[in-house]
Amino acid sequence: SAYRVNVTKAGDSGDTEVQALSLVLSKVGEQAFRMEEFRTELDKRLNIIEKRLESESLKLVEIERCKKEISEVRDQVWQQGKKLSQASETGSKLVPMSSQDSEDIVLTADNGIKFVSMKRVPAFQKYILSQETVEYLKKPTFDNWHWEPNEMLSLLEHMYHELDLLQEFNMNPVTLKRWLLCIQANYRNNPFHNFRHCFCVSQMMYGMIHLCGLDSLLPKEDLGILITAAICHDLDHPGYNNTYQINARTELAIRYNDISPLENHHCAVAFQILNNPETNIFANVDKEAFQRIRKGMTMLILATDMARHAEILENFKKRTEEGFDFSKKDHLDTTEFIGLPVAFMYHSYSAFSQLKMVLIKCCDISNEVRPMEVSEPWVDCLLEEYFNQSDREKIEGLPVAPFMDREKVTKPTAQIGFIRFVLIPMFEAVAKVRLRYGEVIIILVPCM
Amino acid sequence: SAYRVNVTKAGDSGDTEVQALSLVLSKVGEQAFRMEEFRTELDKRLNIIEKRLESESLKLVEIERCKKEISEVRDQVWQQGKKLSQASETGSKLVPMSSQDSEDIVLTADNGIKFVSMKRVPAFQKYILSQETVEYLKKPTFDNWHWEPNEMLSLLEHMYHELDLLQEFNMNPVTLKRWLLCIQANYRNNPFHNFRHCFCVSQMMYGMIHLCGLDSLLPKEDLGILITAAICHDLDHPGYNNTYQINARTELAIRYNDISPLENHHCAVAFQILNNPETNIFANVDKEAFQRIRKGMTMLILATDMARHAEILENFKKRTEEGFDFSKKDHLDTTEFIGLPVAFMYHSYSAFSQLKMVLIKCCDISNEVRPMEVSEPWVDCLLEEYFNQSDREKIEGLPVAPFMDREKVTKPTAQIGFIRFVLIPMFEAVAKVRLRYGEVIIILVPCM
């Protein structure tokens, strides 16, 4: 009706034209009307379809819920399987340490951190370490397999005493004991990333400190940071690496936005433990020192993420090739990035910080510089943990790294590549470092 | 052309009538042509819907498979549980999941995340937004104070529809509603860092997308990442900044080892929400796309830490001064750092990623580019939050930043420094960007 046209007068000659015109017009009008019909009909159809779609799409929620349920049930299966194997192979593992005198030594906090009860001052026997043991402990050849958990605790305790760290940090010796027990309780019983690995890495750090004479070169605060970071560097390791965490979208990966989830967690657990006054070995240092210790330990623990290996090593090599003087530092290293943006944390390290990062990395992978009879069993442990992961990845349909796949890996091939491409280049880089001490130039000689 | 009319001869007297007639006719033809357009458009819509329906129907197969798998795995659990209870005294831990049958719409999960119940499909009214509102929404002059929470939800919802993101991500419209409600529930009622701030930043992003014509320059996936990151960028903000978190050694600071604790938390909460199928707006994208979205959003949310402001802006300026061609990207930006070490994440951004980071930073602090009557109340909100923090810091004996201290700060001084040294330099840097689009060079014109 909007298009109605009134033709009032028509000329004679135009008669036929107007007739034709009105014919066309009526057709157009008809067409427009049909369009209107078409529109209504389509609209109706569309509405129906859209409604259907909306109800269809609710199915997806159903599917996703199923999937979530599957992965949850799988996790239960896995947990059960683990409990089963633990129950059958070894005794109860709920209380890992010195269980002879512990009814309530270990408590688990809300955040999952295991704490040592305050009620009893836990006292693992302070072993009388023989002079021989004390000297042996300083050597990279030290055989970690001869020592039981309580003995390892005593050996770690000894390191703090021997390096004079109790005096340096005004440390309560009972707190040190409690802290060590708490550390031990927060390592899990993984085939590889367990308390014995923690001990090995820390012992190698202690060995390198003595071998390279770092105990006279570095401020005691730095020695404390190096040793403590080594002890804490794999706390609460779940036995599955970052790749698994990220691919399986675990709680840890989501919490840390896929950024070094494990290392961030190890470090966070370390400071959750230190946040408890009963297990804070640094409770008596001043605020600034605590900040330096926190920054230093964080830097070192985060440096153990092997995904950053190339970056850290290359930057370090550049510095050493520039002939940088590692003695010029004056604590700049630990205070340097307080308040600086995240990005600077990773690139504005002092040469000295870089050295410390490479040192903890050396210790972390140092099994292969130990005597064959010490190092070889570790390969089996590592492969067990790897196979454990790859088996799970296969079940869960996640990508499997070839070096973890029991179908593809052999002990020798695993070792050769690692030693040639990772271990040797890093130890060689450290061997080029020159440290000035008074008038003397000291060359770091790592244990190879 | 079916309705074309040829008037060959017209009588003298009929001249004006015929002219009027042909005028009307041409209008009718035009109308018919528009009808044709309408028909084509409808056809397009129908095709899309039909395609979607087709893919939807495939889901039935998947559901069946999932159900089968669940029953298999359940069987395993049962078998193992039996073995376990035989082997040890440990009680059954097979607590069925998803037991929340609550009637409430908002549920709080163990990790503190608030979820919107699945039982009720929450339906905030889909407002009929007037054409005027819809156009106004695209402008940086948009007045955020006129809208109540439900209206803001609808406006945000509208952005996803208008940018065609539902089609791009094959997004369920009901999930989008639920997700938005869940987002809102996870903003706290802080004076400044609240849901309205979230809305403002997102609206400015939406405004800049339209103002700069980014909607035709960028892939839709990137638009989705930009808008979604803006919406998530301050999730669960506690109202006390990073400095407070770090100085007070809060749980967040310990969890994140003092590295952008708040921004890491905002991002983690965002993906905890997206990890729930019911609120995962990206549930229907493939794995690779989800990874790109995750990386992209993480990068953008972490970029909002103002401690990184100088670093991000300087790197960006270097790139623009090099005359880098921002159009050369091909998604390199979002896939580039998958699997790369953390440190590279912060320094190997593509120019395009850098641009996106600066864009979200601009939006985050864009209150002062809005009309005075919009921006001014925000200053009061910010100062209220600052004073709140500084009061607490004084009570707790923590250091107080002068710009937060009610004894030292005034509204004008606070604003002048910020606008001169932070806001203007950043918007100027963006204004220098050249984007190539086909043969045309497009200059970004931020809203100043």
Side-chain angles (χ1 to χ4, degrees):
Chain A
S1 67
Y3 313 118
R4 192 161 46 97
V5 177
N6 289 325
V7 180
T8 43
K9 271 194 280 178
D12 305 329
S13 60
D15 239 19
T16 44
E17 282 89 346
V18 170
Q19 269 177 6
L21 216 61
S22 50
L23 192 75
V24 168
L25 266 181
S26 73
K27 279 205 176 177
V28 168
E30 205 178 286
Q31 200 66 25
F33 188 67
R34 253 197 264 154
M35 274 294 192
E36 209 55 45
E37 260 179 60
F38 172 65
R39 186 180 211 156
T40 321
E41 188 210 315
L42 268 185
D43 203 48
K44 213 168 112 192
R45 264 179 67 198
L46 271 175
N47 280 338
I48 291 165
I49 291 174
E50 273 168 351
K51 249 190 195 158
R52 241 193 81 194
L53 250 185
E54 208 156 294
S55 72
E56 281 286 325
S57 59
L58 285 177
K59 270 189 207 156
L60 183 80
V61 175
E62 211 61 35
I63 292 175
E64 290 297 320
R65 210 173 47 177
C66 283
K67 283 181 181 167
K68 205 176 158 203
E69 225 175 306
I70 289 172
S71 84
E72 279 168 355
V73 176
R74 276 219 171 109
D75 203 54
Q76 285 181 323
V77 174
W78 200 264
Q79 294 298 333
Q80 280 193 359
K82 241 171 47 178
K83 269 190 226 160
L84 195 62
S85 63
Q86 281 172 8
S88 57
E89 282 162 24
T90 46
S92 165
K93 286 278 183 179
L94 291 176
V95 182
M97 79 291 299
S98 58
S99 41
Q100 56 269 46
D101 60 346
S102 66
E103 286 116 54
D104 55 355
I105 278 191
V106 176
L107 303 167
T108 303
D110 282 349
N111 52 11
I113 305 296
K114 296 197 178 74
F115 281 110
V116 175
S117 163
M118 188 169 175
K119 292 281 153 59
R120 307 193 187 196
V121 174
F124 46 86
Q125 289 301 319
K126 165 108 181 152
Y127 290 85
I128 308 296
L129 301 171
S130 70
Q131 193 55 35
E132 203 191 336
T133 303
V134 159
E135 285 308 316
Y136 186 29
L137 187 64
K138 295 176 182 171
K139 301 278 191 302
T141 51
F142 190 83
D143 188 345
N144 63 76
W145 298 105
H146 287 165
W147 311 87
E148 297 189 349
N150 274 350
E151 294 168 323
M152 292 191 280
L153 286 169
S154 269
L155 291 166
L156 290 172
E157 189 185 14
H158 169 78
M159 295 176 196
Y160 279 79
H161 285 276
E162 195 273 333
L163 291 173
D164 242 355
L165 298 179
L166 281 87
Q167 198 193 323
E168 168 67 21
F169 298 109
N170 195 11
M171 206 180 281
N172 179 342
V174 179
T175 307
L176 175 61
K177 277 180 193 291
R178 215 160 24 207
W179 175 74
L180 282 168
L181 276 165
C182 188
I183 292 290
Q184 187 198 20
N186 284 285
Y187 272 92
R188 303 196 197 178
N189 288 313
N190 300 313
F192 186 93
H193 290 102
N194 50 39
F195 180 60
R196 195 176 293 279
H197 168 66
C198 150
F199 173 75
C200 274
V201 174
S202 311
Q203 189 273 325
M204 184 58 77
M205 183 63 84
Y206 183 70
M208 285 183 76
I209 285 172
H210 283 288
L211 192 74
C212 307
L214 295 179
D215 49 337
S216 51
L217 282 168
L218 301 192
K220 290 215 183 310
E221 186 177 291
D222 287 304
L223 299 181
I225 290 171
L226 280 167
I227 278 285
T228 312
I231 290 175
C232 295
H233 88 284
D234 268 335
L235 272 168
D236 200 41
H237 195 298
Y240 302 90
N241 72 7
N242 279 331
T243 308
Y244 175 82
Q245 305 295 329
I246 292 169
N247 287 336
R249 295 188 199 162
T250 63
E251 215 186 300
L252 275 184
I254 291 177
R255 178 183 303 165
Y256 289 112
N257 303 305
D258 296 350
I259 303 171
S260 299
L262 289 178
E263 292 72 22
N264 267 305
H265 181 59
H266 305 322
C267 191
V269 171
F271 282 94
Q272 274 160 345
I273 292 170
L274 289 175
N275 206 35
N276 183 346
E278 295 159 38
T279 50
N280 182 3
I281 52 173
F282 301 118
N284 298 333
V285 305
D286 64 40
K287 223 171 135 183
E288 289 68 34
F290 189 86
Q291 259 184 331
R292 286 197 303 273
I293 293 165
R294 176 158 166 74
K295 293 286 170 187
M297 281 179 58
T298 303
M299 175 186 77
L300 294 184
I301 295 173
L302 294 184
T304 61
D305 182 357
M306 283 303 285
R308 293 176 56 201
H309 177 74
E311 166 226 337
I312 293 175
L313 187 60
E314 290 316 308
N315 285 341
F316 176 71
K317 276 157 77 175
K318 263 183 236 156
R319 278 284 173 93
T320 45
E321 280 158 20
E322 285 166 10
F324 196 92
D325 185 351
F326 282 89
S327 61
K328 279 188 192 160
K329 29 141 268 105
D330 306 315
H331 275 110
L332 243 170
D333 52 291
T334 41
T335 53
E336 67 193 342
F337 56 76
I338 288 175
L340 278 185
V342 150
F344 286 106
M345 286 193 49
Y346 297 108
H347 278 259
S348 307
Y349 294 122
S350 72
F352 186 65
S353 292
Q354 291 185 316
L355 174 63
K356 288 197 290 185
M357 289 196 287
V358 172
L359 282 180
I360 197 171
K361 282 173 60 51
C362 282
C363 295
D364 195 17
I365 59 165
S366 64
N367 284 331
E368 277 68 27
V369 301
R370 293 178 182 274
M372 189 66 108
E373 67 275 14
V374 181
S375 65
E376 225 204 315
W378 279 116
V379 184
D380 296 303
C381 293
L382 189 62
L383 287 180
E384 189 185 334
E385 199 167 301
Y386 281 177
F387 294 159
N388 199 21
Q389 174 172 329
S390 58
D391 290 349
R392 186 171 179 177
E393 286 168 334
K394 284 171 189 172
I395 290 172
E396 296 180 2
L398 298 171
V400 176
F403 69 91
M404 289 194 172
D405 194 336
R406 60 170 84 246
E407 314 284 312
K408 292 177 185 156
V409 134
T410 67
K411 243 168 102 170
T413 57
Q415 286 306 89
I416 290 170
F418 173 75
I419 292 173
R420 181 181 298 168
F421 297 113
V422 180
L423 191 128
I424 291 182
M426 185 155 68
F427 276 79
E428 276 179 353
V430 175
K432 285 180 185 155
V433 172
R434 304 286 179 275
L435 283 171
R436 189 167 314 179
Y437 180 54
E439 293 300 300
V440 191
I441 302 283
I442 290 168
I443 300 172
L444 291 190
V445 183
C447 33
M448 291 188 71
Chain B
S1 68
Y3 312 116
R4 192 159 44 98
V5 177
N6 290 326
V7 181
T8 44
K9 271 193 280 178
D12 306 326
S13 59
D15 238 19
T16 43
E17 282 89 348
V18 170
Q19 268 178 2
L21 215 62
S22 49
L23 192 74
V24 168
L25 267 181
S26 73
K27 280 205 176 172
V28 168
E30 205 178 284
Q31 199 68 26
F33 185 68
R34 256 196 260 156
M35 279 293 191
E36 209 54 45
E37 259 181 64
F38 172 66
R39 197 174 205 160
T40 320
E41 186 209 313
L42 273 184
D43 198 49
K44 205 172 120 194
R45 262 177 77 193
L46 268 175
N47 279 341
I48 289 165
I49 291 171
E50 273 162 11
K51 242 190 197 167
R52 252 192 81 186
L53 258 181
E54 206 169 290
S55 75
E56 288 288 336
S57 62
L58 288 177
K59 282 181 190 153
L60 253 178
V61 181
E62 216 177 324
I63 291 180
E64 289 308 312
R65 212 172 41 186
C66 284
K67 282 181 180 164
K68 200 178 150 204
E69 222 175 311
I70 289 176
S71 82
E72 279 170 6
V73 179
R74 279 242 166 85
D75 201 51
Q76 276 183 301
V77 176
W78 188 74
Q79 294 294 340
Q80 284 205 1
K82 227 167 57 177
K83 272 193 234 163
L84 194 61
S85 59
Q86 282 165 4
S88 74
E89 74 291 347
T90 327
S92 166
K93 278 275 183 174
L94 301 179
V95 183
M97 65 288 308
S98 67
S99 50
Q100 323 99 311
D101 284 31
S102 161
E103 290 269 297
D104 302 77
I105 280 194
V106 175
L107 302 166
T108 304
D110 281 350
N111 51 14
I113 305 296
K114 296 196 178 74
F115 281 110
V116 176
S117 163
M118 172 163 186
K119 285 284 148 58
R120 308 191 188 198
V121 174
F124 46 86
Q125 288 302 320
K126 166 111 180 151
Y127 291 84
I128 310 294
L129 302 172
S130 71
Q131 193 57 35
E132 201 193 335
T133 304
V134 158
E135 286 307 317
Y136 186 29
L137 188 63
K138 295 175 180 169
K139 302 277 191 304
T141 51
F142 190 83
D143 189 345
N144 63 75
W145 298 105
H146 288 166
W147 311 88
E148 297 189 349
N150 273 350
E151 295 168 323
M152 293 192 279
L153 286 170
S154 267
L155 291 167
L156 291 172
E157 189 185 14
H158 169 79
M159 296 176 194
Y160 279 80
H161 284 274
E162 196 273 332
L163 291 173
D164 241 357
L165 299 179
L166 280 87
Q167 196 191 327
E168 166 67 20
F169 298 110
N170 196 8
M171 206 181 277
N172 180 343
V174 179
T175 307
L176 176 60
K177 276 181 195 289
R178 217 162 19 210
W179 176 73
L180 281 168
L181 276 165
C182 188
I183 292 290
Q184 187 198 17
N186 284 285
Y187 273 91
R188 304 195 197 178
N189 288 316
N190 300 314
F192 185 93
H193 289 101
N194 49 40
F195 180 59
R196 195 176 293 279
H197 168 65
C198 150
F199 173 75
C200 275
V201 174
S202 311
Q203 189 274 326
M204 184 57 77
M205 182 62 85
Y206 182 69
M208 286 184 76
I209 284 173
H210 283 287
L211 193 74
C212 307
L214 296 179
D215 49 339
S216 52
L217 283 168
L218 301 193
K220 289 215 184 308
E221 186 177 293
D222 286 305
L223 298 181
I225 290 171
L226 279 167
I227 279 283
T228 313
I231 290 175
C232 296
H233 88 284
D234 267 337
L235 273 168
D236 199 40
H237 194 299
Y240 301 90
N241 72 5
N242 278 331
T243 308
Y244 175 82
Q245 305 295 328
I246 292 169
N247 287 337
R249 293 187 201 164
T250 63
E251 216 186 300
L252 276 184
I254 290 177
R255 179 183 303 164
Y256 290 112
N257 304 305
D258 296 351
I259 303 171
S260 299
L262 288 179
E263 291 72 22
N264 267 305
H265 181 58
H266 305 322
C267 191
V269 171
F271 282 95
Q272 273 159 345
I273 291 170
L274 289 175
N275 205 36
N276 184 347
E278 295 158 39
T279 50
N280 183 3
I281 52 173
F282 301 117
N284 296 337
V285 305
D286 65 38
K287 221 171 135 183
E288 288 68 33
F290 189 86
Q291 258 184 331
R292 286 196 303 272
I293 293 165
R294 176 158 166 74
K295 293 286 171 188
M297 282 179 56
T298 303
M299 175 185 76
L300 294 184
I301 296 174
L302 293 185
T304 60
D305 183 355
M306 283 302 286
R308 292 176 56 200
H309 176 74
E311 167 227 337
I312 292 175
L313 187 61
E314 290 316 307
N315 286 340
F316 176 70
K317 277 157 77 176
K318 261 184 238 156
R319 277 284 173 95
T320 45
E321 280 157 19
E322 284 166 10
F324 197 91
D325 185 353
F326 281 90
S327 61
K328 280 187 192 160
K329 30 141 271 103
D330 305 315
H331 276 110
L332 242 170
D333 53 292
T334 40
T335 53
E336 68 191 339
F337 54 75
I338 288 174
L340 277 185
V342 149
F344 286 106
M345 286 193 49
Y346 297 107
H347 279 259
S348 307
Y349 294 122
S350 73
F352 186 64
S353 292
Q354 291 185 317
L355 174 62
K356 289 196 291 185
M357 289 197 286
V358 173
L359 281 181
I360 198 172
K361 282 174 59 53
C362 282
C363 296
D364 195 17
I365 59 165
S366 63
N367 285 332
E368 277 68 27
V369 302
R370 293 179 181 273
M372 190 64 109
E373 66 274 17
V374 181
S375 66
E376 224 205 314
W378 280 115
V379 184
D380 296 304
C381 293
L382 189 62
L383 287 181
E384 189 185 334
E385 200 166 302
Y386 280 178
F387 293 159
N388 200 19
Q389 174 173 328
S390 58
D391 289 349
R392 185 169 175 181
E393 286 168 334
K394 284 172 188 170
I395 291 170
E396 295 180 3
L398 298 171
V400 177
F403 69 91
M404 290 197 171
D405 194 336
R406 61 169 84 245
E407 313 285 313
K408 292 178 186 157
V409 135
T410 68
K411 245 168 103 169
T413 56
Q415 286 306 88
I416 291 171
F418 173 75
I419 293 175
R420 180 181 297 167
F421 297 112
V422 180
L423 192 128
I424 292 182
M426 185 154 69
F427 276 79
E428 276 180 352
V430 174
K432 285 182 185 155
V433 171
R434 305 285 180 275
L435 282 172
R436 189 167 314 177
Y437 180 54
E439 294 301 298
V440 190
I441 302 283
I442 289 168
I443 300 173
L444 290 190
V445 184
C447 31
M448 289 190 72

